[in-house]
Amino acid sequence: MNENILGIIAGILTSASMVPQLVKVLKEKNVEDLSWVMLLVLISGVSLWVWYGIMKEEWPIILSNAFSVLLNSTLLVCYFIYKK
Amino acid sequence: MNENILGIIAGILTSASMVPQLVKVLKEKNVEDLSWVMLLVLISGVSLWVWYGIMKEEWPIILSNAFSVLLNSTLLVCYFIYKK
Protein backbone atom coordinates (compact mmCIF):
# COMPACT_ATOMS: atom_id res chain seq x y z
CA MET A 1 0.00 0.00 0.00
CA ASN A 2 1.14 3.56 -0.67
CA GLU A 3 2.79 4.88 2.50
CA ASN A 4 0.97 8.21 2.45
CA ILE A 5 -2.46 6.60 2.10
CA LEU A 6 -1.58 4.20 4.94
CA GLY A 7 -0.45 7.13 7.11
CA ILE A 8 -3.60 9.12 6.35
CA ILE A 9 -5.88 6.19 7.27
CA ALA A 10 -3.84 5.62 10.46
CA GLY A 11 -4.11 9.34 11.27
CA ILE A 12 -7.87 9.42 10.73
CA LEU A 13 -8.36 6.42 13.05
CA THR A 14 -6.14 7.71 15.88
CA SER A 15 -7.62 11.22 15.54
CA ALA A 16 -11.20 9.89 15.49
CA SER A 17 -10.60 7.95 18.69
CA MET A 18 -9.84 11.19 20.57
CA VAL A 19 -12.98 13.09 19.56
CA PRO A 20 -15.48 11.36 21.94
CA GLN A 21 -13.42 12.50 24.96
CA LEU A 22 -13.76 16.13 23.89
CA VAL A 23 -17.47 15.73 23.07
CA LYS A 24 -18.04 14.18 26.50
CA VAL A 25 -16.28 17.03 28.32
CA LEU A 26 -18.11 19.70 26.28
CA LYS A 27 -21.47 18.01 26.93
CA GLU A 28 -21.12 17.14 30.60
CA LYS A 29 -18.88 20.08 31.56
CA ASN A 30 -17.18 17.62 33.91
CA VAL A 31 -13.38 17.45 33.91
CA GLU A 32 -12.95 15.46 37.10
CA ASP A 33 -11.31 12.53 35.27
CA LEU A 34 -8.83 14.66 33.34
CA SER A 35 -5.31 15.37 34.55
CA TRP A 36 -3.87 18.69 33.38
CA VAL A 37 -0.31 17.41 33.96
CA MET A 38 -0.95 14.49 31.59
CA LEU A 39 -2.59 16.83 29.05
CA LEU A 40 0.52 19.05 29.16
CA VAL A 41 2.83 16.04 28.72
CA LEU A 42 0.67 14.82 25.83
CA ILE A 43 0.57 18.26 24.15
CA SER A 44 4.38 18.52 24.46
CA GLY A 45 4.75 15.04 22.95
CA VAL A 46 2.45 15.57 19.97
CA SER A 47 4.02 19.00 19.34
CA LEU A 48 7.42 17.28 19.06
CA TRP A 49 5.84 14.76 16.65
CA VAL A 50 4.68 17.70 14.48
CA TRP A 51 8.27 18.99 14.53
CA TYR A 52 9.55 15.47 13.65
CA GLY A 53 7.05 15.33 10.75
CA ILE A 54 8.20 18.72 9.47
CA MET A 55 11.87 17.64 9.58
CA LYS A 56 11.05 14.41 7.74
CA GLU A 57 8.53 16.16 5.44
CA GLU A 58 5.88 13.57 6.19
CA TRP A 59 2.39 15.01 5.84
CA PRO A 60 0.42 12.20 7.55
CA ILE A 61 2.50 12.72 10.71
CA ILE A 62 2.24 16.51 10.62
CA LEU A 63 -1.54 16.56 10.03
CA SER A 64 -2.61 13.93 12.55
CA ASN A 65 -0.39 15.31 15.32
CA ALA A 66 -1.38 18.92 14.60
CA PHE A 67 -5.01 17.81 15.01
CA SER A 68 -4.06 16.18 18.30
CA VAL A 69 -2.34 19.38 19.54
CA LEU A 70 -5.52 21.32 18.72
CA LEU A 71 -7.87 18.83 20.38
CA ASN A 72 -5.81 18.38 23.55
CA SER A 73 -5.23 22.12 23.90
CA THR A 74 -9.02 22.55 23.77
CA LEU A 75 -9.34 19.90 26.50
CA LEU A 76 -6.77 21.77 28.59
CA VAL A 77 -8.70 25.05 28.19
CA CYS A 78 -11.93 23.21 29.14
CA TYR A 79 -10.16 21.83 32.20
CA PHE A 80 -9.41 25.29 33.55
CA ILE A 81 -12.89 26.61 32.63
CA TYR A 82 -14.88 23.73 34.14
CA LYS A 83 -12.82 22.62 37.13
CA LYS A 84 -14.46 23.22 40.46
CA MET B 1 18.32 18.32 16.43
CA ASN B 2 18.83 14.77 15.22
CA GLU B 3 15.51 13.43 13.92
CA ASN B 4 15.75 10.10 15.72
CA ILE B 5 16.46 11.71 19.10
CA LEU B 6 13.54 14.10 18.52
CA GLY B 7 11.27 11.17 17.63
CA ILE B 8 12.37 9.18 20.67
CA ILE B 9 11.69 12.11 23.05
CA ALA B 10 8.31 12.67 21.37
CA GLY B 11 7.53 8.96 21.71
CA ILE B 12 8.48 8.87 25.39
CA LEU B 13 6.21 11.86 26.13
CA THR B 14 3.17 10.55 24.24
CA SER B 15 3.67 7.05 25.66
CA ALA B 16 4.11 8.36 29.22
CA SER B 17 0.85 10.30 28.97
CA MET B 18 -1.08 7.05 28.43
CA VAL B 19 0.30 5.14 31.42
CA PRO B 20 -1.80 6.85 34.18
CA GLN B 21 -5.02 5.72 32.45
CA LEU B 22 -3.92 2.08 32.65
CA VAL B 23 -2.68 2.48 36.25
CA LYS B 24 -6.05 4.01 37.21
CA VAL B 25 -8.03 1.16 35.65
CA LEU B 26 -5.80 -1.51 37.22
CA LYS B 27 -6.07 0.17 40.64
CA GLU B 28 -9.76 1.02 40.72
CA LYS B 29 -10.95 -1.91 38.57
CA ASN B 30 -13.49 0.53 37.16
CA VAL B 31 -13.90 0.73 33.38
CA GLU B 32 -17.14 2.72 33.32
CA ASP B 33 -15.51 5.64 31.50
CA LEU B 34 -13.84 3.53 28.81
CA SER B 35 -15.43 2.85 25.45
CA TRP B 36 -14.43 -0.47 23.87
CA VAL B 37 -15.41 0.84 20.42
CA MET B 38 -12.98 3.75 20.79
CA LEU B 39 -10.27 1.41 22.12
CA LEU B 40 -10.73 -0.81 19.04
CA VAL B 41 -10.54 2.23 16.71
CA LEU B 42 -7.43 3.42 18.52
CA ILE B 43 -5.75 0.01 18.44
CA SER B 44 -6.47 -0.24 14.68
CA GLY B 45 -5.02 3.25 14.16
CA VAL B 46 -1.81 2.71 16.11
CA SER B 47 -1.35 -0.73 14.47
CA LEU B 48 -1.46 1.00 11.08
CA TRP B 49 1.14 3.54 12.40
CA VAL B 50 3.41 0.60 13.29
CA TRP B 51 2.98 -0.70 9.73
CA TYR B 52 3.70 2.82 8.39
CA GLY B 53 6.85 2.98 10.53
CA ILE B 54 8.01 -0.41 9.26
CA MET B 55 7.49 0.67 5.60
CA LYS B 56 9.41 3.90 6.24
CA GLU B 57 11.97 2.16 8.49
CA GLU B 58 11.51 4.75 11.22
CA TRP B 59 12.25 3.31 14.66
CA PRO B 60 10.76 6.09 16.81
CA ILE B 61 7.37 5.59 15.07
CA ILE B 62 7.51 1.79 15.31
CA LEU B 63 8.51 1.73 19.00
CA SER B 64 6.10 4.35 20.34
CA ASN B 65 3.12 2.97 18.43
CA ALA B 66 3.94 -0.64 19.33
CA PHE B 67 3.94 0.45 22.99
CA SER B 68 0.56 2.08 22.41
CA VAL B 69 -0.86 -1.11 20.83
CA LEU B 70 0.30 -3.07 23.88
CA LEU B 71 -1.07 -0.59 26.42
CA ASN B 72 -4.45 -0.14 24.72
CA SER B 73 -4.86 -3.88 24.17
CA THR B 74 -4.31 -4.33 27.92
CA LEU B 75 -6.99 -1.68 28.55
CA LEU B 76 -9.36 -3.55 26.22
CA VAL B 77 -8.75 -6.82 28.07
CA CYS B 78 -9.33 -5.00 31.40
CA TYR B 79 -12.57 -3.62 29.97
CA PHE B 80 -13.99 -7.08 29.37
CA ILE B 81 -12.67 -8.43 32.70
CA TYR B 82 -13.94 -5.56 34.88
CA LYS B 83 -17.15 -4.46 33.17
CA LYS B 84 -20.27 -5.07 35.19
Side-chain angles (χ1 to χ4, degrees):
Chain A
M1 199 196 291
N2 177 292
E3 292 156 357
N4 281 329
I5 296 175
L6 178 62
I8 287 164
I9 298 173
I12 290 173
L13 289 176
T14 48
S15 298
S17 71
M18 294 183 292
V19 174
Q21 169 77 81
L22 180 61
V23 172
K24 194 178 179 216
V25 165
L26 291 175
K27 244 190 200 165
E28 303 179 359
K29 304 193 194 318
N30 182 0
V31 291
E32 217 178 278
D33 288 334
L34 294 182
S35 151
W36 69 269
V37 178
M38 279 309 120
L39 280 174
L40 262 192
V41 173
L42 186 56
I43 292 167
S44 314
V46 288
S47 302
L48 291 186
W49 278 122
V50 173
W51 185 9
Y52 178 94
I54 291 170
M55 283 175 81
K56 291 262 192 183
E57 293 184 23
E58 291 181 31
W59 283 102
I61 293 182
I62 298 171
L63 290 179
S64 60
N65 286 290
F67 177 80
S68 179
V69 171
L70 196 75
L71 189 143
N72 287 293
S73 303
T74 312
L75 274 178
L76 191 64
V77 171
C78 286
Y79 180 87
F80 288 109
I81 293 177
Y82 295 145
K83 73 166 178 169
K84 276 147 203 155
Chain B
M1 198 197 292
N2 177 292
E3 291 156 0
N4 282 328
I5 296 175
L6 178 62
I8 287 164
I9 298 173
I12 289 172
L13 290 175
T14 48
S15 298
S17 70
M18 295 184 289
V19 174
Q21 169 76 81
L22 180 61
V23 171
K24 195 180 180 216
V25 165
L26 290 175
K27 245 191 201 165
E28 303 179 0
K29 303 192 194 320
N30 181 359
V31 291
E32 218 179 277
D33 288 334
L34 294 182
S35 151
W36 68 270
V37 178
M38 278 311 118
L39 281 175
L40 262 192
V41 173
L42 186 57
I43 292 166
S44 315
V46 288
S47 302
L48 290 185
W49 278 122
V50 174
W51 185 9
Y52 177 94
I54 292 170
M55 284 175 80
K56 292 261 192 184
E57 293 184 22
E58 291 181 33
W59 283 101
I61 294 182
I62 298 172
L63 290 179
S64 60
N65 287 290
F67 175 80
S68 179
V69 170
L70 196 74
L71 188 142
N72 287 293
S73 302
T74 312
L75 274 179
L76 191 64
V77 171
C78 287
Y79 180 86
F80 289 107
I81 293 176
Y82 295 146
K83 74 167 176 167
K84 277 147 201 156

